[in-house]
């Protein structure tokens, strides 16, 4: 089991790891669940050594040992890199012959090199401009860009006499012994008195947008697993969640949290607080 887990973790680190070489620095991004980035200016490099074992020479991977990085720096040794000899030459050329790099890239029409050979190593991207570098780092650290969208998240409650106060408290009046339905609608305009704006403006434009809808609660029986919704711009999608009755009422009454997200990033949420129909409202 330990060996299998080590293989899975190693493959995941290979898949998510990146090494980016620019005309000013080297950036290494590692980690699967916890992402970390290390940066080393090329001006701080005193020397670079390429090391390959016999197996590494056969399979086309090796390591770079950088002199000039701090003893505790994650950039001191870059292990298991694909085609380390080519990468070594690119770094040396970048440090000592930047004019040659510019000339070669002009001949190559600015297309970045691909050092990924499918070996157990970090995929590498060649020199890229500042905007591409910013986008690449943002995508690796935070995921792919969101898809632009402008609309509303609306929530309505119905069934077995259940109702919602559309005021500031947004209380659900329910009979704890009965179930009810929560209708969640994504649309260009509000579809109920309880609605919140959903807006993404700094992402990418696509004809369709995919969202995840989820209902959370402090009571386990009211929690609803996420549902995937694909909607076109200007379209409307409605999803209903059936909330079961409480086996026994408890105090304080539970709350509901309706959440809409894209790529696990919450865009908007609406919180509803339950009130039992057997209770009397007490102001203040």
């Amino acid at each position: 089991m330990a060996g299998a887990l080590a293989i899975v973790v190693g493959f995941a680190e290979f898949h998510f790891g990146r090494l980016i070489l620019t005309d000013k620095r080297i950036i290494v991004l590692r980690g699967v669940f916890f992402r970390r980035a290390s940066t080393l200016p090329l001006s701080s490099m005193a020397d670079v050594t390429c090391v390959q074992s016999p197996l590494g020479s056969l399979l086309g991977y090796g390591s770079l040992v950088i002199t000039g990085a701090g003893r505790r720096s994650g950039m001191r040794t870059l292990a298991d890199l694909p085609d380390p000899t080519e990468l070594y030459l690119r770094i040396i050329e970048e440090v000592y012959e930047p004019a040659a790099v510019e000339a070669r890239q002009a001949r190559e029409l600015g297309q970045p090199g691909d050092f990924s050979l499918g070996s157990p190593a970090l995929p590498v991207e060649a020199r890229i401009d500042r905007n591409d570098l910013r986008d690449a780092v943002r995508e690796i650290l935070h995921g792919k860009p969101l898809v632009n969208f402008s609309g509303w998240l609306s929530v309505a409650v119905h069934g077995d006499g259940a109702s919602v106060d559309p005021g500031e408290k947004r209380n659900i009046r329910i009979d704890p012994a009965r179930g009810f339905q929560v209708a969640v609608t994504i649309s260009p305009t509000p579809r109920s008195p309880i609605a919140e704006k959903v807006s993404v403006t700094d992402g990418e434009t696509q004809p369709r947008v995919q969202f995840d809808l989820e209902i959370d609660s402090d009571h386990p029986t009211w929690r609803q697993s996420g549902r995937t919704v694909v909607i076109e711009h200007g379209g409307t999608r409605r999803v209903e969640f059936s909330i079961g009755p409480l086996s026994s009422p408890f105090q304080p009454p539970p709350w509901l949290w309706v959440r809409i997200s894209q790529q696990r990033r919450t865009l908007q949420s609406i919180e509803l607080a339950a009130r039992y129909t057997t209770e009397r409202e007490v102001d203040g």
Side-chain angles (χ1 to χ4, degrees), residues 135 138-139 142-148 200 202-204 206 262-263 265:
D135 294 340
R138 182 176 63 179
E139 178 173 338
H142 303 292
K144 295 182 179 180
L146 298 179
V147 179
N148 291 329
V200 179
D202 58 349
E204 59 183 16
Q206 295 185 8
Q262 192 183 130
Q263 299 179 22
R265 281 175 271 183

Side-chain angles (χ1 to χ4, degrees), residues 17 22 26 32 51 67 101 107 111 127 135-136 141 148 153 163 175 192 249 253-254:
T22 77
I26 296 176
V32 180
V51 180
T67 304
V101 176
R107 293 193 302 269
Q111 296 296 322
R127 298 174 69 252
D135 294 340
L141 290 176
N148 291 329
L153 174 69
S163 62
D175 181 345
S192 72

Side-chain angles (χ1 to χ4, degrees), residues 186-209:
I186 307 173
S187 57
T189 58
R191 293 302 179 94
S192 72
I194 300 179
E196 296 290 345
K197 181 71 174 177
V198 179
S199 178
V200 179
T201 58
D202 58 349
E204 59 183 16
T205 301
Q206 295 185 8
R208 295 179 177 85
V209 189

Side-chain angles (χ1 to χ4, degrees), residues 157-162 174-181 222 242-246:
V157 176
H158 59 90
D160 292 334
I174 63 167
D175 181 345
R178 298 181 179 182
F180 59 95
Q181 288 74 45
W222 281 15
S242 295
I243 308 297
L246 295 174

Side-chain angles (χ1 to χ4, degrees), residues 36-175:
R36 59 187 184 277
S38 302
T39 304
L40 178 67
L42 295 183
S43 59
S44 300
M45 295 173 51
D47 190 22
V48 181
T49 303
C50 179
V51 180
Q52 276 189 293
S53 65
L55 181 61
S57 299
L58 179 63
L59 299 180
Y61 72 93
S63 302
L64 295 181
V65 179
I66 301 176
T67 304
R71 183 173 298 275
R72 296 188 179 184
S73 171
M75 303 287 287
R76 187 181 179 114
T77 301
L78 304 178
D80 298 332
L81 295 171
D83 202 352
T85 303
E86 176 65 18
L87 180 57
Y88 168 81
L89 294 175
R90 288 291 184 97
I91 294 175
I92 294 300
E93 187 180 40
E94 193 67 72
V95 174
Y96 297 104
E97 296 290 342
V101 176
E102 299 294 338
R104 186 186 68 253
Q105 287 194 330
R107 293 193 302 269
E108 295 175 352
L109 300 178
Q111 296 296 322
D114 184 5
F115 293 88
S116 178
L117 301 181
S119 59
L122 295 176
V124 182
E125 298 175 12
R127 298 174 69 252
I128 51 182
D129 62 34
R130 182 176 301 176
N131 291 332
D132 289 341
L133 174 61
R134 178 196 60 199
D135 294 340
V137 173
R138 182 176 63 179
E139 178 173 338
I140 292 169
L141 290 176
H142 303 292
K144 295 182 179 180
L146 298 179
V147 179
N148 291 329
F149 182 80
S150 180
W152 290 81
L153 174 69
S154 303
V155 174
V157 176
H158 59 90
D160 292 334
S163 62
V164 178
D165 175 13
E168 183 177 348
K169 293 184 178 181
R170 293 180 172 178
N171 293 331
I172 313 174
R173 299 289 296 178
I174 63 167
D175 181 345

